[in-house]
Amino acid sequence: MSEAGESPDRAELEALWLRRLQRERAARKQAEFLIEAKSRELYEANLELSAHRSKLERLVVERTRELEEATDQAQAANRAKSLFLASISHEIRTPLTAILGYSELLTREAPKERHRQGWVRGLRSNSEHLHSLVDNVLDLSQIEAGELVVIMESADVLTLTAEVLAALRPMADRKGVGLTLKCEGPIPRRIETDPLKVRQVLINLVGNAINHTREGSVSVVLSRLGSPEVDRARLGFCVLDTGSGIPREMQAQIFESFVQLKKSGGRPGQGAGLGLSISRRLARLLGGDLEVESELGRGSRFTLTLPDEGQEVAEVVSGEELQDLAWAESSPAIGSASLLHGRRVLVVEDGEDNRRILEYILGAEGGQVRCAVNGQLGVDAFLEAEREGEPFDLVLMDMEMPVMDGYQATGRLGELGCKVPIVALTAGAMSTDRQKCLAAGCAAYLTKPFSLARFCETLNDLLGAQEPTLAESSSLPVEGGRGQSALGDQLPARIINAYLAGLADSAQQLRDASARADWGVVRRLLHQLRGSGGSYGYPEITAASDRCNGSLEDESTRASAIEEFARFLESY
Amino acid sequence: MKGIVFTEFLEMVEAAHGIDLAYELQELPGLASGGVFTAIGTYDVEDFLIMLELLTERLGTSMDDLMKGYGEHLFGRFVVLFPDLFLGKTDSLAFLASIEQTIHAEVLKLYPEAELPFFDLAYEGETLVMTYSSKRPMASFAEGLMDGCLLYFGDNRTFTREDLDGQDGTRAVFRVR
């Protein structure tokens, strides 16, 4: 093969192979590049994943910590609730034990009159204590649940304070403790506040002051705190006593629930230690505060401050005006029940005992009472009276009744154009019950057990506003203030005896209903007995009804629980 | 289009008709890739059609027949290259019905940018109706792949093809039974 002959072919072939080689190399490089890019992509995706994982781990740690905190808080709240329950249970058992003990003594033996009176007094004071305890616990739970309703209105400062002093004067008199009201400097005559809540706080403060003062006096001093130029001017209600004082280390604690001072001699004072806790919360709800200064052995000064922005300030002439107030203090603070004199009252109540007691009390006050045993009959009676031209002036309406309940009856009366005030009577004491009654059209709301003092207050608001009547002297002692107990010891023996004699019937009705397995009737009977027990001054019947009602759920024991309760009723 | 379609195509040409023809295809002017293909790259489908064009001239075969033949061949190669995809599969119909969920899903894991043909599946009684739609006029290629599939499974199934949309090969219905 010649050089010249081979060369062109060879050169061409070489060029061909070179191009192919270059193409293969290019393909290899391209593949390497693609693989590298893919690897980088994977590496970056990995980095992202591990960053994400770390973030998740941090999140888990954070969430775990939050969860632990929440658990701790929940456990603390649970412990607080348990403590609250334990305390309340203890506080309730104490008077309850006394009540059960006294009542057992009274049922077992024929006591000497001297003993009997003591036991009955013991029963009554322990029942009162229990009653106020239940009220306090309800208040506290409502405040804590944020359900307490504050109704702001213009309130007369001096009158309100004087009424509180009047209500507590008998207590102060019994202890021989002086009780005075003073004004320092000009004060606003009226402030925008909730007078019922202010009264509750003042009664607590003044009541405590009287309790802790053995000799000397308690005075309430009204004054304006801070300069009038300052926007947040405040009205101060100072309650000063010359009592035993509060040790410095206790001063912060007394506003906590269930903390109370020991009286001299190491015995704890009355109450569950809820009053000041509630009072401070109420004061704060009203935009004010409650503080204490005290010196051991010298006395204490509790200061309730309330906002009084924009109120006109007037000097209280210390002589004449406070004299007038002093007079006001010595007269019954709360409207006279004789407002009822000549008034026609319709009582709609299914419980025979409650009906009887209301009939008696209202009748004793000069009222003309007619009764109806359920809502339907109540509406009928109302219409009949209208037709006869002798319309009622007031309706007292039990809210839970068979056939037609109080809510329906009130609604029906409203539809019929009834303008007469209807006062709801109910065993429910929560603010939602109150709202329900008012929404149904009731003008006012009273809780059972029936209290004449509260009834008079309500009556004063309803009837007094309509037609002011000159007060005649009342045949019943009128008590002021909040939390008065049932009226048992003010009822004549024949009324009480009729009630007690009827208990055996109730026991039999319970047994019959139980035998028929008519639990609706059983519940209604228990509900009636519960209410009347309190009204007649037999709180142990109320308590036993509650217990029996509580055991209805358990099918295996309800028959024996009813039998036990029936025997208990027959023991009267 | 995925590089593996190009590299497998060139290898098939080389095996059947010699390395020179394969290289000639790669040297064709107008190839966007410059004739450089790797299995893991992605290339313009136009390059594939240019190479097919020359091959029809050289072999005197129609474009459709070429595509079909290559499709059938490529399916056999898939079985060799990706045996995992066929593990436990015994029925051609079930395999075809699961293309979107398994095969295309696997491809997208490695090549998220891959543009895959879409099969809309339906049943007419026992018959699986696969509607092929692609940006590329390659229904015959799909038909070849299906031929390869039925051949591989050997389960005596048959299919028909009906072209849609002016019969340009971008949309077709395959009925397999």
Side-chain angles (χ1 to χ4, degrees):
Chain A
M1 272 189 241
S2 76
E3 196 75 31
E6 287 173 13
S7 279
D9 281 350
R10 198 186 167 90
E12 205 177 310
L13 217 56
E14 274 177 2
L16 188 71
W17 281 110
L18 192 64
R19 277 203 310 279
R20 291 176 180 173
L21 195 64
Q22 278 168 343
R23 213 165 38 234
E24 290 304 326
R25 270 191 195 153
R28 196 191 72 215
K29 284 193 174 139
Q30 198 183 79
E32 286 165 355
F33 172 79
L34 285 172
I35 289 170
E36 209 178 284
K38 208 70 179 167
S39 301
R40 203 164 37 241
E41 233 172 73
L42 277 174
Y43 171 75
E44 275 159 14
N46 247 333
L47 271 187
E48 210 173 296
L49 268 178
S50 71
H52 195 62
R53 198 195 57 208
S54 315
K55 194 177 150 198
L56 278 178
E57 279 169 358
R58 271 201 310 281
L59 215 61
V60 168
V61 170
E62 204 177 305
R63 291 278 186 278
T64 310
R65 191 176 46 73
E66 283 172 8
L67 205 64
E68 276 167 0
E69 274 173 21
T71 312
D72 286 350
Q73 277 172 8
Q75 281 171 347
N78 197 22
R79 274 196 297 276
K81 280 273 179 268
S82 300
L83 191 69
F84 181 86
L85 267 181
S87 309
I88 208 71
S89 157
H90 170 77
E91 292 302 329
I92 286 175
R93 271 166 204 281
T94 309
L96 206 55
T97 308
I99 290 167
L100 288 170
Y102 283 129
S103 49
E104 200 175 328
L105 282 176
L106 282 166
T107 48
R108 247 199 230 155
E109 300 170 20
K112 290 177 184 153
E113 183 56 21
R114 183 168 52 87
H115 286 150
R116 199 192 67 87
Q117 278 183 11
W119 295 344
V120 171
R121 266 201 305 279
L123 266 176
R124 175 164 180 150
S125 69
N126 279 287
S127 310
E128 278 174 2
H129 175 47
L130 198 58
H131 189 180
S132 83
L133 184 67
V134 170
D135 277 349
N136 279 341
V137 169
L138 277 175
D139 277 352
L140 195 66
S141 66
Q142 284 185 337
I143 294 172
E144 284 189 344
E147 279 173 5
L148 200 78
V149 186
V150 174
I151 302 162
M152 303 298 263
E153 56 185 78
S154 174
D156 184 321
V157 175
L158 283 172
T159 306
L160 192 141
T161 315
E163 279 177 6
V164 169
L165 294 194
L168 293 170
R169 187 168 296 287
M171 177 183 174
D173 288 348
R174 275 199 300 276
K175 286 200 72 176
V177 172
L179 197 53
T180 58
L181 172 61
K182 286 182 209 150
C183 282
E184 279 177 4
I187 59 158
R189 294 303 300 261
R190 306 187 77 84
I191 59 170
E192 271 303 307
T193 192
D194 183 332
L196 284 178
K197 305 284 184 290
V198 175
R199 176 179 300 172
Q200 189 177 345
V201 175
L202 287 178
I203 282 185
N204 182 252
L205 295 181
V206 178
N208 277 350
I210 296 170
N211 258 331
H212 288 100
T213 303
R214 273 205 291 184
E215 50 191 26
S217 66
V218 170
S219 51
V220 178
V221 180
L222 303 180
S223 64
R224 206 156 200 248
L225 306 173
S227 73
E229 291 79 31
V230 179
D231 280 343
R232 293 168 58 79
R234 283 169 130 52
L235 177 64
F237 298 75
C238 283
V239 179
L240 297 114
D241 65 51
T242 55
S244 43
I246 302 160
R248 186 167 293 280
E249 64 276 14
M250 285 293 288
Q251 287 180 17
Q253 287 177 46
I254 54 170
F255 292 107
E256 289 166 22
S257 301
F258 298 111
V259 172
Q260 52 173 262
L261 289 177
K262 297 223 174 199
K263 276 191 166 178
S264 50
R267 225 163 42 85
Q270 274 192 316
L274 290 175
L276 285 174
S277 162
I278 291 170
S279 294
R280 175 174 265 184
R281 289 169 198 227
L282 286 177
R284 289 181 178 171
L285 261 177
L286 295 172
D289 206 350
L290 176 61
E291 274 155 7
V292 65
E293 297 159 66
S294 184
E295 204 176 319
L296 211 53
R298 300 285 296 270
S300 308
R301 168 206 283 263
F302 282 86
T303 309
L304 165 69
T305 51
L306 292 176
D308 69 347
E309 286 100 342
Q311 299 295 326
E312 205 178 309
V313 178
E315 185 87 41
V316 174
V317 186
S318 55
E320 201 177 327
E321 202 160 359
L322 285 174
Q323 273 296 311
D324 285 352
L325 281 166
W327 177 85
E329 282 174 40
S330 63
S331 66
I334 294 150
S336 165
S338 63
L339 270 171
L340 266 176
H341 195 81
R343 304 269 193 183
R344 279 180 286 275
V345 182
L346 173 61
V347 172
V348 189
E349 159 75 74
D350 64 322
E352 192 189 342
D353 296 316
N354 276 332
R355 236 176 16 245
R356 205 186 295 137
I357 197 169
L358 284 169
E359 198 173 1
Y360 169 75
I361 292 171
L362 303 177
E365 289 299 302
Q368 294 174 19
V369 186
R370 271 184 67 184
C371 293
V373 298
N374 64 47
Q376 182 59 58
L377 294 174
V379 172
D380 294 348
F382 182 86
L383 291 175
E384 195 187 321
E386 296 269 312
R387 272 198 303 277
E388 287 169 1
E390 292 189 331
F392 290 106
D393 298 303
L394 182 75
V395 180
L396 273 180
M397 181 77 78
D398 181 25
M399 299 318 273
E400 281 142 56
M401 288 181 293
V403 185
M404 181 191 274
D405 69 18
Y407 300 102
Q408 288 172 294
T410 305
R412 186 83 193 96
L413 286 173
E415 286 164 19
L416 293 167
C418 161
K419 296 276 183 286
V420 174
I422 301 172
V423 178
L425 266 177
T426 158
M430 305 303 281
S431 66
T432 46
D433 295 313
R434 179 177 176 275
Q435 283 156 11
K436 220 172 130 192
C437 292
L438 298 184
C442 295
Y445 160 94
L446 289 171
T447 56
K448 292 177 185 176
F450 182 81
S451 144
L452 183 60
R454 276 196 216 172
F455 177 65
C456 290
E457 253 180 278
T458 308
L459 208 62
N460 211 11
D461 289 347
L462 294 175
L463 297 181
Q466 272 183 359
E467 188 187 322
T469 316
L470 200 65
E472 290 177 17
S473 66
S474 168
S475 60
L476 279 179
V478 177
E479 290 171 297
R482 184 176 176 285
Q484 291 298 329
S485 78
L487 294 161
D489 62 348
Q490 293 175 7
L491 294 168
R494 72 183 159 82
I495 296 274
I496 292 184
N497 287 340
Y499 166 70
L500 293 178
L503 290 178
D505 281 348
S506 302
Q508 197 48 49
Q509 283 171 20
L510 266 174
R511 280 200 189 96
D512 293 347
S514 167
R516 291 195 309 273
D518 191 344
W519 307 115
V521 170
V522 169
R523 277 185 208 282
R524 191 156 52 75
L525 286 167
L526 288 175
H527 179 72
Q528 287 170 7
L529 286 161
R530 178 186 194 284
S532 58
S535 303
Y536 279 86
Y538 289 88
E540 70 273 23
I541 293 180
T542 301
S545 307
D546 277 344
R547 268 201 309 281
C548 187
N549 195 39
S551 56
L552 288 185
E553 296 304 322
D554 189 346
E555 285 179 28
S556 62
T557 58
R558 59 186 174 198
S560 62
I562 289 167
E563 180 55 34
E564 187 189 336
F565 180 57
R567 284 207 197 121
F568 171 71
L569 290 177
E570 284 166 345
S571 69
Y572 285 92
Chain B
M1 194 155 75
K2 287 316 301 170
I4 194 167
V5 180
F6 291 85
T7 54
E8 287 298 323
F9 173 69
L10 290 169
E11 276 178 30
M12 180 191 76
V13 172
E14 186 183 327
H17 308 288
I19 194 166
D20 287 335
L21 184 56
Y23 280 146
E24 197 183 339
L25 294 180
Q26 283 174 273
E27 303 229 318
L28 278 171
L31 292 182
S33 60
V36 176
F37 301 106
T38 80
I40 56 173
T42 305
Y43 308 96
D44 195 333
V45 71
E46 213 40 51
D47 282 8
F48 184 59
L49 296 174
I50 289 171
M51 292 193 290
L52 278 179
E53 196 80 49
L54 181 78
L55 210 56
T56 55
E57 284 171 23
R58 286 295 157 85
L59 304 178
T61 325
S62 75
M63 185 75 121
D64 279 340
D65 286 347
L66 265 180
M67 279 202 208
K68 263 172 70 179
Y70 175 50
E72 190 181 327
H73 167 80
L74 188 60
F75 192 90
R77 292 288 298 148
F78 284 162
V79 175
V80 175
L81 293 170
F82 312 109
D84 288 356
L85 292 180
F86 298 89
L87 277 181
K89 304 271 165 61
T90 53
D91 178 20
S92 57
L93 199 81
F95 179 82
L96 288 171
S98 69
I99 280 181
E100 288 293 335
Q101 286 81 35
T102 54
I103 314 298
H104 287 175
E106 287 298 322
V107 175
L108 285 172
K109 274 187 204 167
L110 283 173
Y111 307 103
E113 73 286 0
E115 287 180 12
L116 301 166
F118 177 73
F119 284 103
D120 183 39
L121 299 184
Y123 286 92
E124 287 172 1
E126 295 282 290
T127 305
L128 173 65
V129 181
M130 302 175 74
T131 306
Y132 163 88
S133 40
S134 171
K135 288 182 190 168
R136 296 142 194 171
M138 293 175 72
S140 297
F141 182 49
E143 185 184 341
L145 283 165
M146 291 183 68
D147 281 333
C149 175
L150 298 197
L151 196 67
Y152 166 73
F153 284 101
D155 50 4
N156 297 322
R157 290 192 187 274
T158 56
F159 72 90
T160 60
R161 167 181 165 183
E162 180 196 341
D163 278 16
L164 307 170
D165 291 354
Q167 317 210 326
D168 65 350
T170 55
R171 268 166 58 80
V173 176
F174 296 97
R175 288 189 170 77
V176 193
R177 47 186 301 177

